[in-house]
Amino acid sequence: RMYTGGMLRRVNWPCKDGYVNFQLSTGPGGGRSQRALLDWMDEEGMGNKELDQINWEDLEYGGGTPEILDKLEPPLEQFFLTHTRDELAQGCLDRRILLFPVHTPKDILNDTQLEARQHFRQYDHPDMDRPVTYLGPFIQDQTGDRVDLRRPAPRIVEHNREIYVE
């Protein structure tokens, strides 16, 4: 749960194969996302007429009352449990809904977007007899040039003389 707008709100939800991160969104931008999710739930026969009647776009940011949140949680939880993380992520991407899958470290290593961005790099490490996988650049500029690693992470005490003496 996360504390926003004066209330404790749920942000991580179980699904078929793990968890997704989704939080109630209100206001002009977030309200459209909330509406799109409720529409998707309606398409699959899991809608909620009472929630459909709320004008999410006109509520201020953080405008979901505790009563609204109490009504919203059970239908959302039931809906998310009918889908996998990938199904929810793709469905939300297609519908412009603010949601993302919660990945395990193994999931991150197999993430197709990070793979397409060539995020992981193999580096020789002086203490290992094989290359080690490191996280690659965290940004890429518009020209495609990358900020890149010049060397592996320092070993324990590797720079002590340089920092403390020199």
Side-chain angles (χ1 to χ4, degrees), residues 20-66:
V20 293
N21 184 288
F22 174 81
Q23 67 179 359
L24 170 67
S25 301
T26 55
R32 284 190 294 273
S33 173
Q34 186 68 42
R35 172 68 53 214
L37 178 58
L38 292 170
D39 290 346
W40 185 12
M41 292 168 63
D42 286 342
E43 289 169 24
E44 296 196 6
M46 298 185 76
N48 181 298
K49 290 181 184 185
E50 190 174 0
L51 295 173
D52 286 342
Q53 293 174 1
I54 296 171
N55 192 342
W56 301 97
E57 298 84 352
D58 286 347
L59 291 175
E60 293 181 15
Y61 174 75
T65 65

mmCIF file of all heavy atoms in Angstrom, residues 20-66:
data_model
loop_
_atom_site.group_PDB
_atom_site.id
_atom_site.type_symbol
_atom_site.label_atom_id
_atom_site.label_comp_id
_atom_site.label_asym_id
_atom_site.label_seq_id
_atom_site.Cartn_x
_atom_site.Cartn_y
_atom_site.Cartn_z
ATOM 1 N N VAL A 20 0.881 -7.065 -10.360
ATOM 2 C CA VAL A 20 0.955 -5.865 -11.177
ATOM 3 C C VAL A 20 0.836 -4.663 -10.262
ATOM 4 O O VAL A 20 0.320 -4.768 -9.145
ATOM 5 C CB VAL A 20 -0.144 -5.811 -12.268
ATOM 6 C CG1 VAL A 20 0.070 -6.887 -13.311
ATOM 7 C CG2 VAL A 20 -1.539 -5.904 -11.662
ATOM 8 N N ASN A 21 1.315 -3.526 -10.726
ATOM 9 C CA ASN A 21 1.212 -2.282 -9.979
ATOM 10 C C ASN A 21 0.171 -1.420 -10.670
ATOM 11 O O ASN A 21 0.298 -1.113 -11.859
ATOM 12 C CB ASN A 21 2.563 -1.573 -9.922
ATOM 13 C CG ASN A 21 2.519 -0.330 -9.071
ATOM 14 O OD1 ASN A 21 1.936 0.669 -9.467
ATOM 15 N ND2 ASN A 21 3.149 -0.387 -7.912
ATOM 16 N N PHE A 22 -0.856 -1.052 -9.930
ATOM 17 C CA PHE A 22 -1.916 -0.186 -10.431
ATOM 18 C C PHE A 22 -2.444 0.594 -9.252
ATOM 19 O O PHE A 22 -2.669 0.045 -8.177
ATOM 20 C CB PHE A 22 -3.055 -1.008 -11.048
ATOM 21 C CG PHE A 22 -4.227 -0.159 -11.437
ATOM 22 C CD1 PHE A 22 -4.219 0.538 -12.627
ATOM 23 C CD2 PHE A 22 -5.321 -0.041 -10.597
ATOM 24 C CE1 PHE A 22 -5.299 1.353 -12.978
ATOM 25 C CE2 PHE A 22 -6.393 0.764 -10.930
ATOM 26 C CZ PHE A 22 -6.377 1.460 -12.127
ATOM 27 N N GLN A 23 -2.643 1.896 -9.461
ATOM 28 C CA GLN A 23 -3.273 2.675 -8.405
ATOM 29 C C GLN A 23 -4.402 3.506 -8.985
ATOM 30 O O GLN A 23 -4.372 3.870 -10.152
ATOM 31 C CB GLN A 23 -2.273 3.553 -7.673
ATOM 32 C CG GLN A 23 -1.668 4.656 -8.463
ATOM 33 C CD GLN A 23 -0.714 5.480 -7.613
ATOM 34 O OE1 GLN A 23 -0.528 5.224 -6.441
ATOM 35 N NE2 GLN A 23 -0.112 6.476 -8.202
ATOM 36 N N LEU A 24 -5.381 3.738 -8.161
ATOM 37 C CA LEU A 24 -6.537 4.532 -8.555
ATOM 38 C C LEU A 24 -6.059 5.847 -9.144
ATOM 39 O O LEU A 24 -5.231 6.536 -8.560
ATOM 40 C CB LEU A 24 -7.422 4.809 -7.338
ATOM 41 C CG LEU A 24 -8.545 5.814 -7.540
ATOM 42 C CD1 LEU A 24 -9.578 5.241 -8.497
ATOM 43 C CD2 LEU A 24 -9.193 6.158 -6.216
ATOM 44 N N SER A 25 -6.558 6.164 -10.326
ATOM 45 C CA SER A 25 -6.176 7.406 -10.993
ATOM 46 C C SER A 25 -7.412 8.269 -11.192
ATOM 47 O O SER A 25 -8.455 7.788 -11.616
ATOM 48 C CB SER A 25 -5.550 7.105 -12.356
ATOM 49 O OG SER A 25 -4.418 6.294 -12.204
ATOM 50 N N THR A 26 -7.274 9.542 -10.883
ATOM 51 C CA THR A 26 -8.369 10.488 -11.059
ATOM 52 C C THR A 26 -7.841 11.727 -11.762
ATOM 53 O O THR A 26 -6.650 11.862 -12.010
ATOM 54 C CB THR A 26 -8.987 10.873 -9.699
ATOM 55 O OG1 THR A 26 -7.953 11.366 -8.848
ATOM 56 C CG2 THR A 26 -9.657 9.677 -9.039
ATOM 57 N N GLY A 27 -8.730 12.650 -12.067
ATOM 58 C CA GLY A 27 -8.342 13.867 -12.760
ATOM 59 C C GLY A 27 -8.356 13.641 -14.267
ATOM 60 O O GLY A 27 -8.633 12.548 -14.749
ATOM 61 N N PRO A 28 -8.051 14.684 -15.053
ATOM 62 C CA PRO A 28 -8.149 14.583 -16.507
ATOM 63 C C PRO A 28 -7.326 13.438 -17.113
ATOM 64 O O PRO A 28 -7.822 12.670 -17.910
ATOM 65 C CB PRO A 28 -7.638 15.938 -16.997
ATOM 66 C CG PRO A 28 -7.860 16.869 -15.850
ATOM 67 C CD PRO A 28 -7.690 16.029 -14.609
ATOM 68 N N GLY A 29 -6.068 13.276 -16.734
ATOM 69 C CA GLY A 29 -5.237 12.220 -17.314
ATOM 70 C C GLY A 29 -5.498 10.869 -16.686
ATOM 71 O O GLY A 29 -5.781 9.885 -17.367
ATOM 72 N N GLY A 30 -5.400 10.815 -15.379
ATOM 73 C CA GLY A 30 -5.578 9.554 -14.675
ATOM 74 C C GLY A 30 -6.994 9.026 -14.764
ATOM 75 O O GLY A 30 -7.208 7.814 -14.809
ATOM 76 N N GLY A 31 -7.952 9.915 -14.800
ATOM 77 C CA GLY A 31 -9.353 9.500 -14.898
ATOM 78 C C GLY A 31 -9.637 8.747 -16.184
ATOM 79 O O GLY A 31 -10.430 7.799 -16.200
ATOM 80 N N ARG A 32 -8.988 9.159 -17.286
ATOM 81 C CA ARG A 32 -9.149 8.442 -18.557
ATOM 82 C C ARG A 32 -8.613 7.018 -18.434
ATOM 83 O O ARG A 32 -9.188 6.082 -18.976
ATOM 84 C CB ARG A 32 -8.440 9.191 -19.692
ATOM 85 C CG ARG A 32 -9.195 10.424 -20.155
ATOM 86 C CD ARG A 32 -8.608 11.007 -21.430
ATOM 87 N NE ARG A 32 -7.264 11.534 -21.245
ATOM 88 C CZ ARG A 32 -6.972 12.764 -20.840
ATOM 89 N NH1 ARG A 32 -7.941 13.603 -20.584
ATOM 90 N NH2 ARG A 32 -5.723 13.162 -20.707
ATOM 91 N N SER A 33 -7.503 6.865 -17.716
ATOM 92 C CA SER A 33 -6.927 5.543 -17.491
ATOM 93 C C SER A 33 -7.893 4.684 -16.674
ATOM 94 O O SER A 33 -8.135 3.518 -17.005
ATOM 95 C CB SER A 33 -5.582 5.685 -16.759
ATOM 96 O OG SER A 33 -5.066 4.435 -16.375
ATOM 97 N N GLN A 34 -8.431 5.248 -15.612
ATOM 98 C CA GLN A 34 -9.378 4.523 -14.769
ATOM 99 C C GLN A 34 -10.598 4.116 -15.571
ATOM 100 O O GLN A 34 -11.071 2.983 -15.482
ATOM 101 C CB GLN A 34 -9.785 5.399 -13.578
ATOM 102 C CG GLN A 34 -10.647 4.700 -12.578
ATOM 103 C CD GLN A 34 -9.889 3.608 -11.850
ATOM 104 O OE1 GLN A 34 -8.746 3.784 -11.472
ATOM 105 N NE2 GLN A 34 -10.517 2.468 -11.674
ATOM 106 N N ARG A 35 -11.115 5.041 -16.376
ATOM 107 C CA ARG A 35 -12.297 4.762 -17.206
ATOM 108 C C ARG A 35 -11.990 3.627 -18.187
ATOM 109 O O ARG A 35 -12.793 2.722 -18.396
ATOM 110 C CB ARG A 35 -12.707 6.027 -17.966
ATOM 111 C CG ARG A 35 -13.795 5.839 -19.001
ATOM 112 C CD ARG A 35 -15.155 5.512 -18.456
ATOM 113 N NE ARG A 35 -15.534 6.486 -17.462
ATOM 114 C CZ ARG A 35 -16.268 6.207 -16.381
ATOM 115 N NH1 ARG A 35 -16.700 4.989 -16.181
ATOM 116 N NH2 ARG A 35 -16.575 7.132 -15.515
ATOM 117 N N ALA A 36 -10.805 3.657 -18.806
ATOM 118 C CA ALA A 36 -10.435 2.622 -19.774
ATOM 119 C C ALA A 36 -10.367 1.246 -19.110
ATOM 120 O O ALA A 36 -10.775 0.240 -19.701
ATOM 121 C CB ALA A 36 -9.101 2.967 -20.436
ATOM 122 N N LEU A 37 -9.874 1.189 -17.869
ATOM 123 C CA LEU A 37 -9.818 -0.088 -17.162
ATOM 124 C C LEU A 37 -11.227 -0.598 -16.876
ATOM 125 O O LEU A 37 -11.534 -1.776 -17.072
ATOM 126 C CB LEU A 37 -9.013 0.033 -15.871
ATOM 127 C CG LEU A 37 -8.927 -1.241 -15.030
ATOM 128 C CD1 LEU A 37 -8.317 -2.402 -15.810
ATOM 129 C CD2 LEU A 37 -8.126 -0.982 -13.766
ATOM 130 N N LEU A 38 -12.100 0.290 -16.425
ATOM 131 C CA LEU A 38 -13.480 -0.122 -16.145
ATOM 132 C C LEU A 38 -14.181 -0.566 -17.419
ATOM 133 O O LEU A 38 -14.966 -1.528 -17.408
ATOM 134 C CB LEU A 38 -14.238 1.010 -15.459
ATOM 135 C CG LEU A 38 -13.772 1.335 -14.032
ATOM 136 C CD1 LEU A 38 -14.410 2.615 -13.523
ATOM 137 C CD2 LEU A 38 -14.036 0.180 -13.085
ATOM 138 N N ASP A 39 -13.898 0.095 -18.549
ATOM 139 C CA ASP A 39 -14.469 -0.318 -19.838
ATOM 140 C C ASP A 39 -13.991 -1.717 -20.214
ATOM 141 O O ASP A 39 -14.760 -2.539 -20.718
ATOM 142 C CB ASP A 39 -14.115 0.675 -20.943
ATOM 143 C CG ASP A 39 -14.829 2.009 -20.794
ATOM 144 O OD1 ASP A 39 -15.799 2.101 -20.011
ATOM 145 O OD2 ASP A 39 -14.401 2.974 -21.468
ATOM 146 N N TRP A 40 -12.691 -1.994 -19.986
ATOM 147 C CA TRP A 40 -12.141 -3.319 -20.279
ATOM 148 C C TRP A 40 -12.833 -4.368 -19.407
ATOM 149 O O TRP A 40 -13.188 -5.454 -19.875
ATOM 150 C CB TRP A 40 -10.637 -3.298 -20.059
ATOM 151 C CG TRP A 40 -9.901 -4.550 -20.432
ATOM 152 C CD1 TRP A 40 -10.381 -5.614 -21.147
ATOM 153 C CD2 TRP A 40 -8.552 -4.865 -20.110
ATOM 154 N NE1 TRP A 40 -9.397 -6.566 -21.276
ATOM 155 C CE2 TRP A 40 -8.276 -6.139 -20.652
ATOM 156 C CE3 TRP A 40 -7.558 -4.202 -19.401
ATOM 157 C CZ2 TRP A 40 -7.031 -6.747 -20.515
ATOM 158 C CZ3 TRP A 40 -6.314 -4.801 -19.279
ATOM 159 C CH2 TRP A 40 -6.060 -6.055 -19.825
ATOM 160 N N MET A 41 -13.035 -4.039 -18.149
ATOM 161 C CA MET A 41 -13.725 -4.966 -17.255
ATOM 162 C C MET A 41 -15.149 -5.222 -17.757
ATOM 163 O O MET A 41 -15.623 -6.367 -17.734
ATOM 164 C CB MET A 41 -13.733 -4.408 -15.830
ATOM 165 C CG MET A 41 -12.351 -4.376 -15.188
ATOM 166 S SD MET A 41 -12.244 -3.409 -13.656
ATOM 167 C CE MET A 41 -13.368 -4.309 -12.577
ATOM 168 N N ASP A 42 -15.828 -4.173 -18.243
ATOM 169 C CA ASP A 42 -17.175 -4.323 -18.801
ATOM 170 C C ASP A 42 -17.154 -5.267 -20.008
ATOM 171 O O ASP A 42 -18.021 -6.137 -20.139
ATOM 172 C CB ASP A 42 -17.748 -2.971 -19.242
ATOM 173 C CG ASP A 42 -18.165 -2.089 -18.078
ATOM 174 O OD1 ASP A 42 -18.348 -2.616 -16.953
ATOM 175 O OD2 ASP A 42 -18.291 -0.871 -18.290
ATOM 176 N N GLU A 43 -16.166 -5.093 -20.899
ATOM 177 C CA GLU A 43 -16.034 -5.937 -22.100
ATOM 178 C C GLU A 43 -15.958 -7.415 -21.727
ATOM 179 O O GLU A 43 -16.426 -8.270 -22.473
ATOM 180 C CB GLU A 43 -14.772 -5.574 -22.885
ATOM 181 C CG GLU A 43 -14.793 -4.259 -23.591
ATOM 182 C CD GLU A 43 -13.412 -3.877 -24.114
ATOM 183 O OE1 GLU A 43 -12.567 -4.792 -24.337
ATOM 184 O OE2 GLU A 43 -13.171 -2.675 -24.308
ATOM 185 N N GLU A 44 -15.352 -7.707 -20.598
ATOM 186 C CA GLU A 44 -15.155 -9.091 -20.180
ATOM 187 C C GLU A 44 -16.227 -9.562 -19.201
ATOM 188 O O GLU A 44 -16.074 -10.604 -18.567
ATOM 189 C CB GLU A 44 -13.757 -9.264 -19.588
ATOM 190 C CG GLU A 44 -12.684 -9.023 -20.628
ATOM 191 C CD GLU A 44 -11.327 -9.537 -20.224
ATOM 192 O OE1 GLU A 44 -11.208 -10.192 -19.163
ATOM 193 O OE2 GLU A 44 -10.392 -9.282 -20.979
ATOM 194 N N GLY A 45 -17.294 -8.784 -19.062
ATOM 195 C CA GLY A 45 -18.391 -9.186 -18.196
ATOM 196 C C GLY A 45 -18.079 -9.078 -16.715
ATOM 197 O O GLY A 45 -18.738 -9.707 -15.890
ATOM 198 N N MET A 46 -17.084 -8.263 -16.371
ATOM 199 C CA MET A 46 -16.695 -8.115 -14.967
ATOM 200 C C MET A 46 -16.870 -6.678 -14.486
ATOM 201 O O MET A 46 -16.249 -6.259 -13.520
ATOM 202 C CB MET A 46 -15.241 -8.556 -14.785
ATOM 203 C CG MET A 46 -15.012 -10.014 -15.133
ATOM 204 S SD MET A 46 -13.351 -10.553 -14.780
ATOM 205 C CE MET A 46 -13.444 -10.706 -13.000
ATOM 206 N N GLY A 47 -17.724 -5.926 -15.179
ATOM 207 C CA GLY A 47 -17.919 -4.523 -14.846
ATOM 208 C C GLY A 47 -18.695 -4.320 -13.557
ATOM 209 O O GLY A 47 -19.224 -5.253 -12.960
ATOM 210 N N ASN A 48 -18.758 -3.060 -13.160
ATOM 211 C CA ASN A 48 -19.453 -2.680 -11.942
ATOM 212 C C ASN A 48 -20.200 -1.393 -12.241
ATOM 213 O O ASN A 48 -19.578 -0.341 -12.429
ATOM 214 C CB ASN A 48 -18.437 -2.493 -10.811
ATOM 215 C CG ASN A 48 -19.089 -2.130 -9.504
ATOM 216 O OD1 ASN A 48 -19.730 -1.095 -9.388
ATOM 217 N ND2 ASN A 48 -18.888 -2.978 -8.501
ATOM 218 N N LYS A 49 -21.535 -1.463 -12.309
ATOM 219 C CA LYS A 49 -22.344 -0.309 -12.709
ATOM 220 C C LYS A 49 -22.133 0.891 -11.795
ATOM 221 O O LYS A 49 -22.086 2.028 -12.254
ATOM 222 C CB LYS A 49 -23.820 -0.687 -12.753
ATOM 223 C CG LYS A 49 -24.149 -1.625 -13.884
ATOM 224 C CD LYS A 49 -25.608 -1.975 -13.918
ATOM 225 C CE LYS A 49 -25.827 -2.986 -15.028
ATOM 226 N NZ LYS A 49 -27.216 -3.309 -15.235
ATOM 227 N N GLU A 50 -22.001 0.640 -10.504
ATOM 228 C CA GLU A 50 -21.807 1.738 -9.545
ATOM 229 C C GLU A 50 -20.492 2.477 -9.827
ATOM 230 O O GLU A 50 -20.435 3.706 -9.819
ATOM 231 C CB GLU A 50 -21.829 1.195 -8.125
ATOM 232 C CG GLU A 50 -21.875 2.282 -7.075
ATOM 233 C CD GLU A 50 -22.032 1.705 -5.675
ATOM 234 O OE1 GLU A 50 -22.101 0.481 -5.504
ATOM 235 O OE2 GLU A 50 -22.082 2.519 -4.751
ATOM 236 N N LEU A 51 -19.430 1.739 -10.121
ATOM 237 C CA LEU A 51 -18.139 2.362 -10.425
ATOM 238 C C LEU A 51 -18.152 3.043 -11.788
ATOM 239 O O LEU A 51 -17.498 4.064 -11.995
ATOM 240 C CB LEU A 51 -17.017 1.325 -10.361
ATOM 241 C CG LEU A 51 -16.758 0.719 -8.985
ATOM 242 C CD1 LEU A 51 -15.750 -0.418 -9.084
ATOM 243 C CD2 LEU A 51 -16.282 1.780 -7.999
ATOM 244 N N ASP A 52 -18.909 2.480 -12.736
ATOM 245 C CA ASP A 52 -19.016 3.081 -14.072
ATOM 246 C C ASP A 52 -19.673 4.459 -14.011
ATOM 247 O O ASP A 52 -19.414 5.309 -14.857
ATOM 248 C CB ASP A 52 -19.838 2.183 -15.007
ATOM 249 C CG ASP A 52 -19.062 0.947 -15.442
ATOM 250 O OD1 ASP A 52 -17.823 0.938 -15.310
ATOM 251 O OD2 ASP A 52 -19.704 -0.008 -15.915
ATOM 252 N N GLN A 53 -20.520 4.696 -13.016
ATOM 253 C CA GLN A 53 -21.233 5.971 -12.918
ATOM 254 C C GLN A 53 -20.382 7.099 -12.334
ATOM 255 O O GLN A 53 -20.752 8.262 -12.429
ATOM 256 C CB GLN A 53 -22.501 5.788 -12.093
ATOM 257 C CG GLN A 53 -23.512 4.902 -12.776
ATOM 258 C CD GLN A 53 -24.707 4.597 -11.893
ATOM 259 O OE1 GLN A 53 -24.804 5.066 -10.760
ATOM 260 N NE2 GLN A 53 -25.632 3.800 -12.411
ATOM 261 N N ILE A 54 -19.238 6.781 -11.759
ATOM 262 C CA ILE A 54 -18.366 7.811 -11.185
ATOM 263 C C ILE A 54 -17.667 8.545 -12.315
ATOM 264 O O ILE A 54 -17.161 7.936 -13.251
ATOM 265 C CB ILE A 54 -17.330 7.185 -10.226
ATOM 266 C CG1 ILE A 54 -18.050 6.545 -9.033
ATOM 267 C CG2 ILE A 54 -16.313 8.223 -9.761
ATOM 268 C CD1 ILE A 54 -17.154 5.706 -8.144
ATOM 269 N N ASN A 55 -17.631 9.866 -12.242
ATOM 270 C CA ASN A 55 -16.942 10.658 -13.262
ATOM 271 C C ASN A 55 -15.479 10.824 -12.833
ATOM 272 O O ASN A 55 -15.104 11.817 -12.204
ATOM 273 C CB ASN A 55 -17.626 12.014 -13.452
ATOM 274 C CG ASN A 55 -17.125 12.724 -14.682
ATOM 275 O OD1 ASN A 55 -16.071 12.390 -15.216
ATOM 276 N ND2 ASN A 55 -17.882 13.695 -15.141
ATOM 277 N N TRP A 56 -14.658 9.842 -13.159
ATOM 278 C CA TRP A 56 -13.260 9.796 -12.735
ATOM 279 C C TRP A 56 -12.473 10.991 -13.226
ATOM 280 O O TRP A 56 -11.573 11.479 -12.557
ATOM 281 C CB TRP A 56 -12.615 8.497 -13.221
ATOM 282 C CG TRP A 56 -13.306 7.291 -12.700
ATOM 283 C CD1 TRP A 56 -14.258 6.533 -13.345
ATOM 284 C CD2 TRP A 56 -13.167 6.715 -11.405
ATOM 285 N NE1 TRP A 56 -14.699 5.521 -12.528
ATOM 286 C CE2 TRP A 56 -14.030 5.609 -11.334
ATOM 287 C CE3 TRP A 56 -12.375 7.025 -10.304
ATOM 288 C CZ2 TRP A 56 -14.134 4.811 -10.207
ATOM 289 C CZ3 TRP A 56 -12.461 6.220 -9.187
ATOM 290 C CH2 TRP A 56 -13.341 5.132 -9.139
ATOM 291 N N GLU A 57 -12.811 11.490 -14.414
ATOM 292 C CA GLU A 57 -12.077 12.616 -15.006
ATOM 293 C C GLU A 57 -12.303 13.921 -14.248
ATOM 294 O O GLU A 57 -11.441 14.794 -14.257
ATOM 295 C CB GLU A 57 -12.478 12.799 -16.477
ATOM 296 C CG GLU A 57 -12.154 11.629 -17.374
ATOM 297 C CD GLU A 57 -13.199 10.494 -17.370
ATOM 298 O OE1 GLU A 57 -14.148 10.525 -16.546
ATOM 299 O OE2 GLU A 57 -13.058 9.583 -18.179
ATOM 300 N N ASP A 58 -13.458 14.062 -13.598
ATOM 301 C CA ASP A 58 -13.770 15.302 -12.879
ATOM 302 C C ASP A 58 -13.288 15.303 -11.436
ATOM 303 O O ASP A 58 -13.281 16.352 -10.790
ATOM 304 C CB ASP A 58 -15.278 15.580 -12.913
ATOM 305 C CG ASP A 58 -15.737 16.054 -14.287
ATOM 306 O OD1 ASP A 58 -14.868 16.406 -15.122
ATOM 307 O OD2 ASP A 58 -16.952 16.055 -14.534
ATOM 308 N N LEU A 59 -12.920 14.149 -10.918
ATOM 309 C CA LEU A 59 -12.382 14.106 -9.558
ATOM 310 C C LEU A 59 -10.998 14.733 -9.553
ATOM 311 O O LEU A 59 -10.243 14.594 -10.508
ATOM 312 C CB LEU A 59 -12.287 12.663 -9.054
ATOM 313 C CG LEU A 59 -13.596 11.928 -8.777
ATOM 314 C CD1 LEU A 59 -13.311 10.482 -8.412
ATOM 315 C CD2 LEU A 59 -14.373 12.610 -7.676
ATOM 316 N N GLU A 60 -10.661 15.425 -8.490
ATOM 317 C CA GLU A 60 -9.310 15.968 -8.364
ATOM 318 C C GLU A 60 -8.322 14.833 -8.188
ATOM 319 O O GLU A 60 -8.696 13.718 -7.797
ATOM 320 C CB GLU A 60 -9.231 16.896 -7.151
ATOM 321 C CG GLU A 60 -10.036 18.152 -7.287
ATOM 322 C CD GLU A 60 -9.904 19.037 -6.059
ATOM 323 O OE1 GLU A 60 -8.982 18.813 -5.249
ATOM 324 O OE2 GLU A 60 -10.726 19.945 -5.909
ATOM 325 N N TYR A 61 -7.027 15.119 -8.431
ATOM 326 C CA TYR A 61 -6.004 14.116 -8.186
ATOM 327 C C TYR A 61 -6.101 13.678 -6.731
ATOM 328 O O TYR A 61 -6.178 14.499 -5.831
ATOM 329 C CB TYR A 61 -4.601 14.664 -8.471
ATOM 330 C CG TYR A 61 -3.517 13.692 -8.084
ATOM 331 C CD1 TYR A 61 -3.260 12.572 -8.863
ATOM 332 C CD2 TYR A 61 -2.795 13.858 -6.916
ATOM 333 C CE1 TYR A 61 -2.295 11.652 -8.499
ATOM 334 C CE2 TYR A 61 -1.823 12.937 -6.537
ATOM 335 C CZ TYR A 61 -1.585 11.836 -7.340
ATOM 336 O OH TYR A 61 -0.632 10.927 -6.968
ATOM 337 N N GLY A 62 -6.107 12.380 -6.505
ATOM 338 C CA GLY A 62 -6.243 11.861 -5.144
ATOM 339 C C GLY A 62 -7.659 11.974 -4.620
ATOM 340 O O GLY A 62 -7.885 11.874 -3.425
ATOM 341 N N GLY A 63 -8.627 12.167 -5.514
ATOM 342 C CA GLY A 63 -10.002 12.423 -5.103
ATOM 343 C C GLY A 63 -10.834 11.199 -4.797
ATOM 344 O O GLY A 63 -12.021 11.313 -4.528
ATOM 345 N N GLY A 64 -10.234 10.029 -4.842
ATOM 346 C CA GLY A 64 -10.989 8.827 -4.504
ATOM 347 C C GLY A 64 -11.205 8.757 -3.003
ATOM 348 O O GLY A 64 -10.259 8.765 -2.232
ATOM 349 N N THR A 65 -12.431 8.708 -2.599
ATOM 350 C CA THR A 65 -12.748 8.653 -1.167
ATOM 351 C C THR A 65 -12.539 7.222 -0.648
ATOM 352 O O THR A 65 -12.505 6.274 -1.444
ATOM 353 C CB THR A 65 -14.213 9.055 -0.925
ATOM 354 O OG1 THR A 65 -15.049 8.071 -1.544
ATOM 355 C CG2 THR A 65 -14.513 10.444 -1.487
ATOM 356 N N PRO A 66 -12.440 7.056 0.659
ATOM 357 C CA PRO A 66 -12.339 5.693 1.195
ATOM 358 C C PRO A 66 -13.516 4.814 0.769
ATOM 359 O O PRO A 66 -13.350 3.626 0.519
ATOM 360 C CB PRO A 66 -12.334 5.905 2.707
ATOM 361 C CG PRO A 66 -11.785 7.284 2.893
ATOM 362 C CD PRO A 66 -12.286 8.074 1.713
#
